[in-house]
Amino acid sequence: MSFEGAIPGAYERRLVPLLFRPYARDLARRLAQRHPRDVIETAAGTGVVTRELAAALPQDTSITATDLSRPMLDHARTLPLARPVRWVEADAMALPFPDGSCDAVVCQFGAMFFPDRPRAFGEAVRVLRPGGVLLFSVWETVVANDFAAMVETAVAELFPTDPPDFLSRVPYGYHDTATIAQDLADGGFTGVPRIETLAERGRAESAEDVATAFCQGTPLRNEIEDRGTHTLDEVTRAVAAAIADRCGTGPVEGALSALVVTVAR
């Protein structure tokens, strides 16, 4: 699963305002209420949460933002921040930090990508101080998220014998609350997690913006290109037309739904 090449730039330009910024602000607000001294962010991507944390947390709170993808971090480093943070290329399942080195671990829409979630949660337990908190968000189902559902349906119609299923399989595939709670327990968290559903609205200037965001700013791009029967531009145009048929040719808006999980060490 690759976030390389043109994906980081398209991700930041298209997906961040469409999907991620409202939830990033929510996570930063929740964390600021806890007054942490040291924060580690995992799966930081292009830094949408990092930027909100830098603006919301006091100047003397240290923020370390990590991601496994160097291209995503390289892009994040080019964007303005309210104050300096530390960027570290790191795997959430093997964090290069000492035991008990932070008061909070935060992760927005990254847990779905972890190959071994209990192991990643175990790393959060290890680096947290007693009383520290893991705060993360994951998407609900594809059908609860309008734009993702429209994109997946439109793409499937172009590849009827082998529909790309990246969206439902990965980013929108980790939403069962019992599974999340069990993975946290298997990782070493002993408390009961608080899991809240948070509804937002996604907005874009056009259906084309939405189609470009999903088809060119996520690894769905790789699945489209690997099939070779339609070009990326052809698929993007077809998806845009399908969204416009439903939402109109002007600015578009759709429902977003995610789970926000809070669990203390």
Side-chain angles (χ1 to χ4, degrees):
M1 191 177 303
S2 175
F3 283 88
E4 300 178 348
I7 288 179
Y11 179 104
E12 175 62 32
R13 288 191 306 274
R14 309 283 189 174
L15 282 170
V16 164
L18 178 66
L19 303 181
F20 299 138
R21 190 169 290 143
Y23 289 101
R25 289 171 176 164
D26 174 77
L27 284 183
R29 177 188 60 78
R30 291 171 188 260
L31 200 58
Q33 293 172 348
R34 293 179 172 272
H35 309 290
R37 290 176 295 158
D38 303 283
V39 176
I40 294 172
E41 181 187 357
T42 59
T46 59
V48 56
V49 172
T50 318
R51 295 189 292 275
E52 296 296 336
L53 293 175
L57 297 178
Q59 290 286 325
D60 59 354
T61 298
S62 72
I63 302 170
T64 300
T66 74
D67 199 282
L68 184 60
S69 169
R70 179 173 294 178
M72 294 290 271
L73 281 184
D74 286 346
H75 193 87
R77 290 187 180 100
T78 69
L79 302 174
L81 285 162
R83 62 182 177 88
V85 304
R86 181 167 63 140
W87 302 99
V88 177
E89 185 180 343
D91 187 340
M93 298 186 299
L95 293 172
F97 309 118
D99 296 359
S101 55
C102 69
D103 306 300
V105 175
V106 61
C107 181
Q108 175 171 265
F109 302 125
M112 310 91 73
F113 294 91
F114 299 156
D116 186 338
R117 296 181 189 106
R119 182 177 171 186
F121 295 150
E123 279 293 272
V125 171
R126 182 183 65 79
V127 300
L128 283 170
R129 299 179 181 121
V133 65
L134 169 63
L135 178 63
F136 68 97
S137 56
V138 293
W139 292 115
E140 281 215 274
T141 62
V142 163
V143 296
N145 287 273
D146 287 345
F147 292 135
M150 286 186 275
V151 170
E152 184 157 90
T153 298
V155 171
E157 291 177 355
L158 296 171
F159 302 93
T161 62
D162 187 20
D165 63 350
F166 167 75
L167 294 178
S168 57
R169 189 181 76 253
V170 184
Y172 296 89
Y174 187 53
H175 47 74
D176 181 76
T177 57
T179 299
I180 293 169
Q182 186 61 58
D183 286 347
L184 287 165
D186 290 345
F189 283 97
T190 57
V192 177
R194 185 170 74 249
I195 303 177
E196 305 167 68
T197 301
L198 182 59
E200 291 283 357
R201 303 292 294 177
R203 298 174 178 86
E205 290 301 312
S206 68
E208 182 181 1
D209 283 351
V210 177
T212 304
F214 279 93
C215 295
Q216 301 186 22
T218 78
L220 177 61
R221 176 189 190 122
N222 303 326
E223 294 192 355
I224 292 168
E225 292 180 325
D226 287 347
R227 279 156 175 79
T229 53
H230 298 281
T231 70
L232 183 63
D233 285 344
E234 288 171 347
V235 174
T236 303
R237 287 195 298 270
V239 171
I243 295 172
D245 284 345
R246 177 169 169 180
C247 300
T249 56
V252 296
E253 182 175 325
L256 308 176
S257 186
L259 302 176
V260 180
V261 183
T262 308
V263 60
R265 183 189 186 285

